[in-house]
Every structure is written in C-alpha cells, then in structure tokens.
Amino acid sequence: PRRAGDEAGSQRAAHEGNGERRVTEDLLFLDRAAVMACAADVDLCEATAWALGHHAEGATRMPAEGYLPWTNDAGGQCRSLAMLGAVEPPGGTPVRGVKIINAATTNPALGAERAGGVSLLFDQHTARPVLMAEAGWLSAARTAAYTMVSLRHLGPREWDALSVIGCGTLARAHLELLGTQFPQAKSVHLYDTDPERAADLAKWLGQHCPQLHPQIAPSARAAVGAARVVVTTTTVDTGFVPAAWLEPGTFVAHVSLSDLLPDAFVTAEAIYVDDVDLVAENPRRTLGALLRDGLVAAPGVTPRRGDATGEGAAVPEVNGTLGQVIAGRIEAVRPHRGHVISNPFGMAILDVALLEAVHQAALRRGTGQRLCLY
Ligand code: NAD
C-alpha cells in the first residue's frame, strides 16, 4: 500500500484533470485509527443533521437493505447487513456508498465487538469505490450522533443526568459524544444485565470523561427512573420497559428498538423516527409490530382501534421524522407531562454522509493507504 499523501488527489485527478477522464483502479483505505483521527476534524452531529435535513426534502435514496442471518457453531446469531445509501442535494455534490456491517452475538465472549465491517464510497463519474473504511467505529458514532441531534431538538429543555441501559459498544460511543455536545450532563446511571460490562464502562468513563459521574443502578427499573434522558443500547429482542417506569418529562432514545413495551408507545406524548418506511417494514422491532397491527398509526394515517367502520378509540400516531423537525416541517414536541420516544431504525445515508466528511478530512490530512485493485 502507498500513503495517500504521496499522490494527493490522484483519484480526484481521474475526473477533474484537463478534460480527459481516466478510470483509476485504486482506492483509499482507512483503518479504525485513521477513521477516528479524521473524524476528530469533523462535526459528526452537524453532518448528521445535514443528511437528515436532505432526507426530509426527499434528496436521499436508500434501496432495501440486504439482510442475511445464520447461526454459528456455538449457537450464536450471526447476520450480515448491506446498507446502500445516497444523499443527492439539488445543485450540490452527491454522496453515495454502502456499509456492510456484520454481527455475531457470541463475539463479545471472544473479547471482540459484536458488530464489525467495512464501508465504501463511490465515485460520482466512474462509479468505482474510491474509499474503503473500517465501519464499526463510525457506525456506532453515527448512531450516537443521531441520538445527540434528537436530544437537542426533542429532549427536555433542562437536564443534567442520563441513564444508559446496556453498556456495550453503542453505550460507549454515546457517552464519548455526550461530553462534547452536552457539557451540562453531570451524571450517568448505568445498567447492564452483565454487571461486569457496567463496571467496565464506569471505569472507562472515569478515565475518558471525568466530568460524567457514573453510578451503577441495581436494576433496569432503577436506571430508567433515575434520569429524564434514557438511552437503550441493549441486544434484547423482547421488551421489558413498561410505560409505568418512565417518569413524566422523560425523553427515550430507543436505539436498540426492542426494549420498550407496547404501552410505552401507545401512551407516548410524541414518537419520532428516522424513516417511517424503514421502521414500518420491520415488525421484528416493537414499533414496526405496532404499526403493522394498527395499534400505532403512521403519520397522516389515522386508523382507529375497533372495526373497519371507524368506530372505536383513535390510536396514537407517529409524529414524523427527526429530519422533518430539523427542516421545520413538523413541530418538535418535547417531553412535558409524559414521555417522548425517538425510535431510529438506522439509515445508510448517515453512514455515507459521515464517511464522506471523514474522507474529505483524510484527503486534507494525507491520511490513509492507497490500495491498488489491479
Ligand atoms: P453490545 O453487545 O456491545 O452491547 C449490548 C449490551 O447490552 C451488552 O453489554 C449486554 O450485556 C447488554 N444487555 C443485553 N440485554 C440487556 C438487558 N435486558 N438489560 C440491560 N442490558 C442488557 O452491542 P452494541 O454494539 O452496543 O449494540 C447495542 C444495540 O444497538 C444493538 O441492539 C444494535 O442492534 C443497536 N443498534 C441500533 C442502531 C440504530 O440506529 N437504531 C445502530 C447500531 C446499533
């Protein structure tokens, strides 16, 4: 591999040079350390809000996700996700790419992160991949950035404590970004069914985010009740958080998508998603199942519980997307007397938007390795 800086912009020259277009068969590779170094030059929350705003304006595309599950020899659940996305701002520079993120539930027991993979960005003219990057760190960071943006627009106006249920990779990514985005956050209540993981995260916080005072909660219920901002980053596939656990004025970032029980959605003051179709097409997750069963309605559709004549009680409705809030198209409802839920399915357009910002930083810094395909 050659250093990127040795031939700065050779890829760009392929389509910007003297009217003569040439297809190059090399691409820039960024390992995790390089991705992290370049991401330090980038405002991840701003890049996230940029992509969400374009999503609300219809300037994005996300083909159906590829999903391939299997079971490994140890009985662990494995899956491969292939997520294509494009942000195509009118009159602006388009960004297109794919994230391939695979996971095995048995990886943490091997001392490895559950999920990992690579992302690619595509050249506008030749369609060739121009960048390949380690995907795990940025994938977690983009999910955390979404939570930070949602909290800014939809969270309580005043808060200084946060609860995190599930203390793995995503939890750490959230707390890493929290310190930079919300300096008023003073304490973090941690809960994990594996006490060692909660203890490890508390120790990590002491070393990396000393301004955040960690407290390990004795139960999920105690953690949920301890703060007005609750982030779920578990791996459950069966809900365990009822509405009764949520204090008035609570904002829930339901990142892991299956923790809240149906009554938490049905009684919510407001529900926001990243993309209505993505959520609705996945009934394996709580909100997807509620939309399928007509117990929660998609925005603008107001089915009623009961019979087809429209008799019966109105069902709660998803308010819309965070992008629509950012674009000023719908109202931002913050938690007041009840709770507000943010339920992001996870969008490839955020992965590609953030990766492009990292790519530009890598080109400026001369970071990365050139890989020659042939
Ligand atoms: P991880 O395996 O690193 O961490 C999950 C942690 O949750 C583990 O420490 C585990 O012990 C704990 N846990 C499991 N069940 C629990 C329970 N009932 N109560 C408390 N703790 C529990 O996983 P990760 O990589 O951090 O991912 C966390 C979740 O985030 C996954 O479900 C993943 O699918 C989801 N995710 C969502 C998005 C999104 O955009 N919505 C994006 C990426 C990941």
Side-chain angles (χ1 to χ4, degrees), residues 170-195:
L170 262 288
R172 187 170 298 195
H174 276 73
L175 296 174
E176 211 166 5
L177 208 50
L178 184 79
T180 65
Q181 297 296 312
F182 294 98
Q184 83 267 23
K186 297 281 182 290
S187 55
V188 181
H189 302 268
L190 303 173
Y191 177 73
D192 198 297
T193 40
D194 179 348

Side-chain angles (χ1 to χ4, degrees), residues 9 22 45 55 62 76 85 106 113-114 132 152 165 208-209 251 266 274 305 312 321 334-335:
R22 172 172 74 84
C45 293
H55 189 52
M62 280 183 290
T106 42
E113 290 172 4
R114 189 184 55 84
M132 176 164 63
R152 189 158 310 286
I165 317 297
H208 295 89
C209 310
F251 172 79
V266 170
D274 50 355
R305 240 184 247 129
T321 69
R334 294 176 187 271

Side-chain angles (χ1 to χ4, degrees), residues 156-171:
R157 288 207 184 273
E158 288 183 14
W159 60 277
D160 63 3
L162 167 110
S163 292
V164 177
I165 317 297
C167 298
T169 305
L170 262 288

Side-chain angles (χ1 to χ4, degrees), residues 123-267:
D123 184 84
Q124 154 75 359
H125 298 284
T126 66
R128 289 283 200 276
V130 288
L131 181 85
M132 176 164 63
E134 192 277 327
W137 184 83
L138 195 61
S139 181
R142 78 93 155 99
T143 308
Y146 183 97
T147 298
M148 300 303 137
V149 176
S150 66
L151 193 46
R152 189 158 310 286
H153 288 274
L154 303 167
R157 288 207 184 273
E158 288 183 14
W159 60 277
D160 63 3
L162 167 110
S163 292
V164 177
I165 317 297
C167 298
T169 305
L170 262 288
R172 187 170 298 195
H174 276 73
L175 296 174
E176 211 166 5
L177 208 50
L178 184 79
T180 65
Q181 297 296 312
F182 294 98
Q184 83 267 23
K186 297 281 182 290
S187 55
V188 181
H189 302 268
L190 303 173
Y191 177 73
D192 198 297
T193 40
D194 179 348
E196 215 173 296
R197 298 209 91 187
D200 284 351
L201 187 56
K203 194 168 153 203
W204 179 89
L205 273 173
Q207 289 161 355
H208 295 89
C209 310
Q211 77 282 10
L212 287 172
H213 174 61
Q215 285 172 267
I216 297 180
S219 66
R221 180 174 194 161
V224 169
R228 295 299 79 79
V229 176
V230 175
V231 180
T232 67
T233 45
T234 72
T235 42
V236 296
D237 49 22
T238 309
F240 63 98
V241 180
W245 290 10
L246 300 165
E247 293 290 332
T250 299
F251 172 79
V252 186
H254 192 221
V255 177
S256 34
L257 301 168
S258 297
D259 309 74
L260 293 176
L261 285 163
D263 74 333
F265 283 99
V266 170
T267 59

Side-chain angles (χ1 to χ4, degrees), residues 71-105:
T71 304
N72 67 20
D73 297 342
Q77 297 304 309
C78 301
R79 53 98 170 142
S80 176
L81 275 185
M83 301 167 64
L84 280 157
V87 185
E88 297 163 327
T93 310
V95 184
R96 301 185 188 90
V98 65
K99 175 174 78 169
I100 299 170
I101 189 97
N102 295 3
T105 52

Side-chain angles (χ1 to χ4, degrees), residues 30-48 131 133-142 145 173 176-177 180-181 350-351 353-365 367-368:
L30 302 178
D31 63 14
R32 176 172 293 195
V35 170
M36 290 175 72
C38 297
D41 295 350
V42 172
D43 185 334
L44 296 177
C45 293
E46 192 183 300
T48 299
L131 181 85
E134 192 277 327
W137 184 83
L138 195 61
S139 181
R142 78 93 155 99
E176 211 166 5
L177 208 50
T180 65
Q181 297 296 312
L350 300 186
D351 293 291
L354 267 56
L355 188 56
E356 177 56 18
V358 165
H359 181 205
Q360 293 305 321
L363 294 175
R364 284 193 299 275
R365 285 168 162 247
T367 299

